[in-house]
Amino acid sequence: KCPRWRLFDYDSSPRTATRCQSSMLQGRRKSQEDRTLCVLDVRIPFPGTMGIREVVVGIVAVFDGHNGAEASEMASKLLMEYFVLHTYFLLDAMYSVVSKTSTGKLLHRRDHDHGNLLHRWKEILGWQWHELHSERLQNVFSANFDDSFHLEILKEALLRAIHDIDVRFSEEASRNNIHSGSTATVVLVADDKFLVANIGDSKAFLCSENFQSPKEAKASLLELYRQTERDGSVSVWDREKYRLASSRGLNHFAVKELTRDHHPDREDERTRVEAAGGQVLNWGGLPRVNGQLAITRAIGDV
């Protein structure tokens, strides 16, 4: 382990930290197939224009298992480990490049030669370079060491971690005749910014609360009042509530969906499935991949 890193001991502690809450509904399933992960205080040293700075990274994930809990269980156990390893791997390669192209100080973005850095990275990584997504990594280099650099590294590490989890589980599922799978929604938090990734149809929502002044509340509620009045659903109690809110101000709650489901009825997903040799067929009133899966992306489902 890198001595600069301070990792939360998530193996010996409950996976739900005091700042995380979760609830799961088993429904009609014979057993609970869903899993969650919450680690909020991983401290990672990143290079910046002013030198090394420590970034606190949090990761929250939900895995919605189906046809068994094997896929969601493995994903929840391996995600943090794989994510940390890939982040360290990418940073180690970057530090190696920097140490060979500078005099011990991190260079300012205007001093970097992207072509030279990419060439040096290829030399350092050797055969492993071909295992990387070079196009995405060129984008990482283009970010250089500005304020968005660490976000590019985290995004690449997360993509590689999810890919490796799917590969490992698929190999194990093939050997042991396991048919389970899992969707995934992962949220990374770093410097008050969110990176959100999803597989399948698990969703992520951003819920926020804003206080509106009496003037702003009056305008908002007047529009809402007119709309509900047209629908014939305004009561005396509603009018009184609106009057009080417009005189005292209003706490406004907003919800924004951050993910987009991977369903076979999406044109881009249908095209991807058919290009891979699959078919989208209707069964039970839903479009399904090869007449079976109602989602086009998942961990497992071998």
Side-chain angles (χ1 to χ4, degrees), residues 27 58 86 104-105 113 115 138 144 155 178 181 184 193 209 229 240 245 248 281 290:
H86 280 300
K105 295 182 179 179
D113 180 345
Q138 290 197 37
N144 235 312
K155 180 170 68 174
I178 299 173
K193 294 182 175 63
E209 178 182 3
E229 189 175 43
E240 179 64 15
R248 299 176 182 176
L281 305 172
N290 295 334

Side-chain angles (χ1 to χ4, degrees), residues 9 18-19 28 133 170 185 201 206 211 214 248 261 300-301:
D9 188 6
T18 56
R19 290 179 290 162
R28 294 176 294 177
H133 298 280
S170 296
T185 295
D201 56 3
L206 177 63
F211 177 76
R248 299 176 182 176
D261 293 344
D301 286 319

Side-chain angles (χ1 to χ4, degrees), residues 279-284 286-294:
Q279 292 180 303
V280 175
L281 305 172
N282 283 309
W283 185 84
L286 291 174
R288 299 174 183 268
V289 177
N290 295 334
Q292 297 180 356
L293 289 176

Side-chain angles (χ1 to χ4, degrees), residues 245-263:
S246 60
S247 63
R248 299 176 182 176
L250 177 69
N251 284 326
H252 177 70
F253 297 92
V255 178
K256 180 179 181 180
E257 187 173 352
L258 302 180
T259 53
R260 187 181 178 195
D261 293 344
H262 297 117
H263 284 160

Side-chain angles (χ1 to χ4, degrees), residues 2-293:
C2 175
R4 287 181 177 270
W5 290 43
R6 295 203 298 275
L7 301 179
F8 177 76
D9 188 6
Y10 53 90
D11 285 331
S12 60
S13 302
R15 291 188 193 171
T16 301
T18 56
R19 290 179 290 162
C20 295
Q21 292 83 37
S22 65
S23 63
M24 292 178 281
L25 178 64
Q26 181 174 323
R28 294 176 294 177
R29 295 174 292 185
K30 294 181 180 180
S31 61
Q32 180 58 261
E33 299 173 338
D34 304 337
R35 299 292 186 269
T36 61
L37 173 70
C38 181
V39 181
L40 298 179
D41 51 2
V42 180
R43 300 177 182 272
I44 304 176
F46 282 95
T49 56
M50 303 300 293
I52 302 298
R53 73 183 186 96
E54 192 175 67
V55 177
V56 179
V57 178
I59 183 167
V60 180
V62 174
F63 302 96
D64 186 353
H66 46 264
N67 296 328
E70 294 89 351
S72 58
E73 178 70 14
M74 177 180 286
S76 66
K77 287 184 175 180
L78 294 182
L79 177 60
M80 197 64 206
E81 177 184 351
Y82 281 19
F83 170 71
V84 166
L85 287 174
H86 280 300
T87 302
Y88 177 77
F89 172 75
L90 291 169
L91 283 175
D92 183 63
M94 180 63 72
Y95 284 129
S96 298
V97 170
V98 171
S99 66
K100 292 189 177 184
T101 56
S102 68
T103 58
K105 295 182 179 179
L106 295 177
L107 304 180
H108 191 274
R109 61 182 305 173
R110 65 175 176 269
D111 299 322
H112 281 286
D113 180 345
H114 292 170
N116 184 50
L117 286 177
L118 285 170
H119 178 70
R120 286 296 186 88
W121 201 349
K122 290 179 182 179
E123 288 182 345
I124 293 170
L125 298 180
W127 64 270
Q128 297 180 51
W129 170 262
H130 301 289
E131 300 296 323
L132 299 174
H133 298 280
S134 57
E135 182 177 349
R136 288 208 306 265
L137 291 177
Q138 290 197 37
N139 293 332
V140 171
F141 270 108
S142 67
N144 235 312
F145 296 143
D146 60 13
D147 291 338
S148 65
F149 169 76
H150 64 290
L151 297 177
E152 295 294 333
I153 289 289
L154 294 175
K155 180 170 68 174
E156 178 67 23
L158 177 59
L159 291 172
R160 291 173 58 78
I162 293 294
H163 173 269
D164 286 358
I165 289 171
D166 180 55
V167 170
R168 177 168 173 178
F169 178 77
S170 296
E171 291 175 349
E172 184 170 315
S174 297
R175 287 195 304 268
N176 299 306
N177 197 29
I178 299 173
H179 302 290
S180 68
S182 177
T183 67
T185 295
V186 184
V187 178
L188 294 181
V189 185
D191 285 348
D192 296 326
K193 294 182 175 63
F194 295 93
L195 288 173
V196 183
N198 74 300
I199 302 172
D201 56 3
S202 293
K203 299 178 182 292
F205 295 91
L206 177 63
C207 303
S208 59
E209 178 182 3
N210 297 310
F211 177 76
Q212 289 185 321
S213 67
K215 182 178 180 180
E216 294 171 329
K218 186 175 181 179
S220 297
L221 293 174
L222 182 59
E223 177 61 30
L224 178 61
Y225 176 83
R226 288 171 176 169
Q227 179 180 344
T228 54
E229 189 175 43
R230 288 193 295 267
D231 298 336
S233 58
V234 177
S235 65
V236 175
W237 182 84
D238 290 324
R239 292 191 180 96
E240 179 64 15
K241 182 177 65 174
Y242 296 158
R243 185 187 67 79
L244 291 174
S246 60
S247 63
R248 299 176 182 176
L250 177 69
N251 284 326
H252 177 70
F253 297 92
V255 178
K256 180 179 181 180
E257 187 173 352
L258 302 180
T259 53
R260 187 181 178 195
D261 293 344
H262 297 117
H263 284 160
D265 55 357
R266 274 179 50 176
E267 188 62 32
D268 56 341
E269 289 298 292
R270 176 189 288 268
T271 300
R272 192 177 66 85
V273 169
E274 292 174 346
Q279 292 180 303
V280 175
L281 305 172
N282 283 309
W283 185 84
L286 291 174
R288 299 174 183 268
V289 177
N290 295 334
Q292 297 180 356
L293 289 176

